[in-house]
Amino acid sequence: MTEEFFLYDDTEETKTRYVSFVGENQRFDLAIMQTGRYYGKSIVMDIQGSRFAILGQDDLDEEGYLEYAYNLSEEDAEELRSFLRPIL
């Protein structure tokens, strides 16, 4: 049996916010995890949709990114973007 090789195996404290809100077309159940990794970006998990992305302000400005990452319509992505902009 070969020995396992890890690129890294770290444990760190995180700050996690759980939030749920209802948009025009759907409900958003999110877990937003702030960590020291990922260059100051946050891990935003869509609990209902089983999707996640590592997001910062630059990602919110990238056209089509939220639509792709969370499989959302333009309208739903704009609601999510508006919610995330002040907290990321």
Side-chain angles (χ1 to χ4, degrees), residues 13 21 26 35 38 46 53 56 64 71-72 77 84:
E13 294 290 320
F21 69 95
Q26 76 171 51
T35 175
Y38 310 117
D46 173 10
N71 195 30
L72 297 172
L84 292 173

Side-chain angles (χ1 to χ4, degrees), residues 4-63:
E4 292 181 355
F5 176 75
F6 297 97
L7 294 177
Y8 58 85
D9 181 7
D10 300 329
T11 302
E12 73 173 66
E13 294 290 320
T14 63
K15 180 180 175 186
T16 305
R17 176 181 177 186
Y18 297 94
V19 64
S20 180
F21 69 95
V22 178
E24 285 292 319
N25 301 313
Q26 76 171 51
R27 174 179 163 167
F28 292 91
D29 293 296
L30 306 173
I32 303 163
M33 187 182 335
Q34 294 175 333
T35 175
R37 293 191 180 271
Y38 310 117
Y39 308 100
K41 295 185 178 193
S42 297
I43 301 169
V44 180
M45 295 175 272
D46 173 10
I47 297 167
Q48 294 289 336
S50 301
R51 292 176 171 264
F52 75 94
I54 300 168
L55 299 175
Q57 290 294 328
D58 58 329
D59 300 302
L60 298 180
D61 295 333
E62 189 174 327
E63 188 176 331

